[in-house]
Amino acid sequence: MIAPEAIDHVGIAVADLDGAIARYTRWLGVAPFAREEVAADGIEAVLFQVGPNRVELLGSRRADSVVDRFLQRRGEGLHHLAYLVPDVAAALAAYRAEGATLIDEVPRRGAAGRLVAFVHPRSTGGVLVELCQSTAVGP
Amino acid sequence: MIAPEAIDHVGIAVADLDGAIARYTRWLGVAPFAREEVAADGIEAVLFQVGPNRVELLGSRRADSVVDRFLQRRGEGLHHLAYLVPDVAAALAAYRAEGATLIDEVPRRGAAGRLVAFVHPRSTGGVLVELCQSTAVGP
């Protein structure tokens, strides 16, 4: 049982990050509150607050990044669904107990220093699932 | 400007609705609160509450339904992103003003009698967008 507290955010892959930021700023009526390059992954993430939730735009910064490969294969669109959970390690353990394929075997630091982990879509009915920990962790 | 108040729900296309209901009930830690057949569209929708948000599973009830075509083309996975908005007609007007392709030219009754409308993914960077009205409307 993952028992999420909310949808944390929805990740959306975009081909032209700056163009998408302009459109989403217009649609959502707010400017993004964070823009972060994840150099190791070759991607850039931009976050908008939407009430209790967030929308995350994902752009590729290099050929063959995960976002680049997604865009090549499927085009722009919904990329992943992130749930807010009290304990990412416990949620991972629940997926592991049912034989799920985990992308992250242990929680890692994601955007804004939060603990996160991804579960492979082959174990979740085609949905790339991210688990985001709601409680703060030490520095 | 659409200015959504929240992510209302995320719609997920599934091949085996009953199997998916069992898995999501286990993952989300709650049973679905609604199951509704949309006979005109040949689909069935099942809703789970996740904190302030919902997860909607979409199954096909006949060949060539929108869900069936989605599954044929892309397989199981994230199908649409629904925003909660105070006024669906106003949000549609904002999309129309920027030349977006609307699937619903006017709001219609969706699940649970709420006003909803869909915007075509070609106008939203590959994301099928549903607008759901937060305020109740008359019977």
Side-chain angles (χ1 to χ4, degrees):
Chain A
M1 192 166 96
I2 317 309
E5 300 165 320
I7 291 175
D8 185 80
H9 66 270
V10 170
I12 297 170
V14 302
D16 166 17
L17 187 57
D18 288 323
I21 291 170
R23 285 193 299 277
Y24 273 85
T25 298
R26 193 171 71 232
W27 291 333
L28 301 179
V30 289
F33 69 87
R35 179 171 184 155
E36 195 168 331
E37 185 170 352
V38 188
D41 295 338
I43 68 167
E44 205 169 2
V46 174
L47 284 154
F48 296 81
Q49 193 71 35
V50 180
N53 311 116
R54 284 150 292 284
V55 167
E56 182 181 56
L57 301 182
L58 298 166
S60 179
R61 297 280 286 169
R62 67 159 191 254
D64 209 41
S65 71
V66 289
V67 172
D68 183 57
R69 278 181 276 141
F70 182 92
L71 292 170
Q72 302 281 349
R73 201 168 62 245
R74 312 203 60 159
E76 291 189 306
L78 295 170
H79 179 269
H80 68 267
L81 173 58
Y83 293 115
L84 192 67
V85 298
D87 184 336
V88 170
L92 273 184
Y95 276 115
R96 188 182 291 114
E98 58 178 74
T101 301
L102 307 179
I103 294 174
D104 297 297
E105 288 291 337
V106 293
R108 60 181 172 83
R109 296 297 171 110
R114 289 197 302 174
L115 284 181
V116 303
F118 282 86
V119 182
H120 199 284
R122 83 168 62 99
S123 300
T124 55
V127 176
L128 175 59
V129 167
E130 181 178 2
L131 304 164
C132 298
Q133 187 149 314
S134 53
T135 52
V137 288
Chain B
M1 191 167 97
I2 317 308
E5 299 165 320
I7 291 175
D8 185 80
H9 65 270
V10 171
I12 297 171
V14 301
D16 165 17
L17 187 57
D18 289 323
I21 290 169
R23 284 192 300 278
Y24 273 85
T25 298
R26 194 172 70 233
W27 291 333
L28 300 179
V30 289
F33 69 88
R35 178 171 185 156
E36 194 168 333
E37 186 171 353
V38 187
D41 295 338
I43 69 167
E44 205 169 3
V46 174
L47 284 153
F48 296 81
Q49 193 72 35
V50 180
N53 311 116
R54 284 151 292 284
V55 167
E56 182 181 57
L57 301 182
L58 299 165
S60 178
R61 297 281 285 169
R62 67 157 191 255
D64 209 42
S65 70
V66 289
V67 171
D68 182 58
R69 278 181 276 142
F70 182 91
L71 292 170
Q72 301 283 349
R73 202 169 61 246
R74 312 204 62 160
E76 291 190 307
L78 295 170
H79 178 269
H80 68 268
L81 173 57
Y83 293 115
L84 192 67
V85 298
D87 184 337
V88 170
L92 273 184
Y95 276 115
R96 189 182 289 115
E98 57 178 75
T101 300
L102 307 179
I103 294 174
D104 297 298
E105 287 291 336
V106 294
R108 61 183 173 83
R109 295 298 172 109
R114 290 197 302 173
L115 284 181
V116 303
F118 282 86
V119 182
H120 199 284
R122 84 168 61 100
S123 300
T124 55
V127 177
L128 175 58
V129 168
E130 180 177 2
L131 305 163
C132 299
Q133 187 149 313
S134 53
T135 52
V137 288

